[in-house]
Amino acid sequence: MGNTYGYARVSSREQNESRQLAALDEMNVPRNNIFVDKQSGKDFNRPRYQQLLKKLRTDDLLYIKSIDRLGRDYREILEQWRILTKDKKIDIVVLDMPLLDTRRGKDLMGTFLSDIVLQLLSFVAENERENIRQRQKEGIEAAKQRGVRFGRPTQPLPEDFKHIYKKWMAKEITGVEAAKQCKVARSTFYRWVGKMRK
């Protein structure tokens, strides 16, 4: 029997991986053998995952909380699963899906069932990602149709803008001074100038 490892992933630095770590602790995975990435699962170019790949040896065991923590791209999940189980010759256990435990059913039927479940779950994970993207797009479109504006709200022109603008045009003041008098950033002042000229 080789070493035991765990892999956890959250999509951003704001998200918390504690649920995944607790599940790996329950499996007695040594903390120094747990690799955590705080990065999107769109591909496998993740620093901690790549470090884990280099450490894994034949007969090692890898625990993952759920298949979407491994990745989100259907084809890439299948490719990584092949690399881990066939090339690296390790066992993988997906804690949320007991059927995805390569230690069980090493015969042809067990491998066949595991492959079917993996393909189905990988497809579902990617499909859900596509659905989320589509819902976001539809939500943004619906909000725009209701008049919701995205981005920073536009600042109203100061009452004395025309006076400041005329002084700036006459080269009595610089753009920096004009922006200070308007109490805005220089870029905002120049944006207002562009609108004024139109």
Side-chain angles (χ1 to χ4, degrees):
M1 188 66 186
N3 293 315
T4 302
Y5 293 93
Y7 180 72
R9 182 187 65 77
V10 288
S11 297
S12 68
R13 299 205 172 276
E14 293 75 42
Q15 291 181 329
N16 194 318
E17 68 276 11
S18 57
R19 260 183 351 105
Q20 293 175 68
L21 295 179
L24 296 173
D25 283 342
E26 280 182 33
M27 298 290 100
N28 297 314
V29 179
R31 272 294 169 122
N32 59 335
N33 282 2
I34 296 176
F35 292 75
V36 181
D37 276 311
K38 294 196 174 194
Q39 194 171 332
S40 164
K42 66 181 167 65
D43 59 42
F44 285 86
N45 295 326
R46 301 175 226 138
R48 297 293 284 156
Y49 182 78
Q50 292 302 321
Q51 287 174 0
L52 170 64
L53 267 185
K54 287 176 185 163
K55 283 201 101 158
L56 291 170
R57 299 287 177 263
T58 301
D59 294 329
D60 284 347
L61 173 62
L62 175 64
Y63 284 103
I64 306 162
K65 176 86 169 83
S66 59
I67 195 69
D68 66 342
R69 297 303 87 202
L70 182 60
R72 290 207 173 271
D73 182 279
Y74 172 58
R75 286 166 297 283
E76 288 205 21
I77 291 172
L78 295 175
E79 175 61 13
Q80 287 302 310
W81 191 273
R82 188 197 61 74
I83 289 168
L84 294 167
T85 58
K86 306 285 191 291
D87 298 353
K88 293 277 185 182
K89 294 180 173 56
I90 69 156
D91 278 312
I92 307 173
V93 176
V94 179
L95 297 172
D96 285 357
M97 181 56 60
L99 279 172
L100 287 177
D101 181 344
T102 61
R103 297 171 302 177
R104 295 194 188 130
K106 293 272 187 187
D107 61 354
L108 185 61
M109 183 57 82
T111 304
F112 176 69
L113 283 174
S114 181
D115 284 352
I116 287 175
V117 172
L118 174 66
Q119 289 194 26
L120 181 64
L121 288 176
S122 300
F123 171 77
V124 168
E126 186 177 357
N127 200 44
E128 181 55 23
R129 189 163 147 245
E130 290 301 317
N131 287 340
I132 289 168
R133 265 204 216 116
Q134 185 61 32
R135 286 194 296 267
Q136 284 174 335
K137 187 178 171 187
E138 288 168 2
I140 289 167
E141 284 304 314
K144 282 181 179 175
Q145 287 175 2
R146 289 193 315 271
V148 174
R149 297 185 67 139
F150 292 90
R152 279 190 279 181
T154 54
Q155 288 179 282
L157 289 174
E159 289 179 23
D160 57 347
F161 178 74
K162 283 187 181 176
H163 173 70
I164 296 167
Y165 173 72
K166 284 177 184 172
K167 284 169 62 176
W168 175 76
M169 284 293 289
K171 299 198 185 321
E172 293 172 25
I173 57 172
T174 65
V176 173
E177 289 166 335
K180 270 186 191 170
Q181 288 181 26
C182 291
K183 297 184 176 78
V184 293
R186 197 172 61 188
S187 59
T188 302
F189 173 74
Y190 286 124
R191 191 168 62 247
W192 287 345
V193 166
K195 285 182 182 174
M196 190 76 150
R197 285 178 172 165
K198 282 178 187 171

